[in-house]
Amino acid sequence: MSDELIYNDATSMAELIRTGAVSSVDLVRAHLARIEDTNPAINAIVTIAEDALDVARAADADLAAGHDVGPLHGVPFTVKDSIDTEGVLTQRGSPIFAGRIPPTDATSVARIKNAGGILLAKTNLPEFSYSTESDNLLTGRTNNPWNLERTPGGSSGGESAAIAAGMSPFGLGTDLAISVRGPAAQTGIVALKPTHGRIPMTGVWPRVPRRDWHVGPMARTVRDIALTYSLLSGPDGADGFAVTPKAFDSGLGDSPNRPVRVGWLVDSGLGPVDPEVAATVRDAANALASTGVHVEEVRIPALERDNPLALFNLEHVMELKPAMAAVTKGREAKMFVMSTSMLNTPDTSMEDYIAAEQGFERIRDGYAGFFTRYDALLLPVLPIPAHRHGLTKFVIDGETVDATHIQTFTVQFNITGLPALSMRFGTSSDGLPIGIQIAGNWHAESTVLHVATTLEGLSPVRDLHPTLLFDGTLRTPAG
């Protein structure tokens, strides 16, 4: 009963509660039991919200009393441990912040709670959210529920692993260059990085460089992403980037009155891609074309001129280093390897910094031109499926690249601020999820979600979840 219950999506769970088929207490208990069973092997959950069952009992009482309830009433959710949660540990993956308990919720957490969601737990991350693997000195390493020897990604890797393993139906992550979309692809779930500023960053750390940071929902279905995005978006009067009116959307909506135009690419000067990943993107393009969507392979010259990852590496270090140096001063011995490495990175010259900023502008201009001809772009999320822990180099289609190459298809949408969604559409030969990425024009989340919903209905992947066995090993059930 518990497994059947916990692999419903959040939208279904809310309906089950409203109709009296299950109680909020049932759901919270089922997820707590799942955490107890699976988290020791995966290490996705780092803190349980101690009042979750009490809040669930109150939610059931409110429903029984006939009170108006929100769209997620009684449904548990999890939150990345860089996002503030009132009265619940938020330690940012670092011994420097061990024992830290925020006095208030982040705006994103407060909005989910206002919709009836019940905070269940906090999830693991790299120290300061600064790595593509979720490992740190305080709460350790998170493993991928599909294969414990593989990474669930970073920086929202604990969140992705928890949702994929049935420990949570949905949750909140953050994204600087890859951090909700990459982990989603590595664990086979769905995640949205919306247009920059759509969801306030209030109550999230670090916020530098805030023009590249995003809060994003993570879940197992596109409709859950659409629901949670609708609840999370809009100004809060505190984040100066979150100024676009909530109702504004430049997309085509759920039912466009003309064929949707989708460009797709695998090779656009961004480096090597695993053949199975490339094939999955092509399969998704062909699936869209079969529904009457106008689909064609494209190139984006701006990406061939200016590599977004190379530019990002020049830009963000100079903005992050001062903030990180200030908070770690005198406590350097408590820092993990990635943060130490970043602080030891040579400063970017002013000339190179300005050149990077100008490159960003050319990429934005290139996408402005692209979206006069197309409504969406279909491309890989990652160049490879989930990799083994701790690798510093990858060999992809015969070419050796640095491990930072994992971000090559995602970072461009952080520096441009464009919305992009990651979802599963395939499976590798060794049973790992393969994701695809759908990007849209600025403030065109409705188009991204429309294309994603279409592809979800066409996906060859059906009801496939990792399952923990009693001996502590993991297997993938067939079909």
Side-chain angles (χ1 to χ4, degrees), residues 216-254:
M218 306 174 74
R220 288 191 294 266
T221 63
V222 175
R223 70 173 182 170
D224 275 1
I225 294 295
L227 172 59
T228 50
Y229 166 71
S230 73
L231 299 168
L232 291 163
S233 61
D236 69 346
D239 184 340
F241 283 106
V243 296
T244 304
K246 182 179 180 69
F248 177 76
D249 187 283
S250 65
L252 299 173
D254 295 333

Side-chain angles (χ1 to χ4, degrees), residues 63-84:
L63 192 64
H67 296 164
D68 290 337
V69 298
L72 289 169
H73 184 79
V75 179
F77 71 104
T78 44
V79 175
K80 182 181 179 181
D81 204 30
S82 63
I83 304 176
D84 281 354

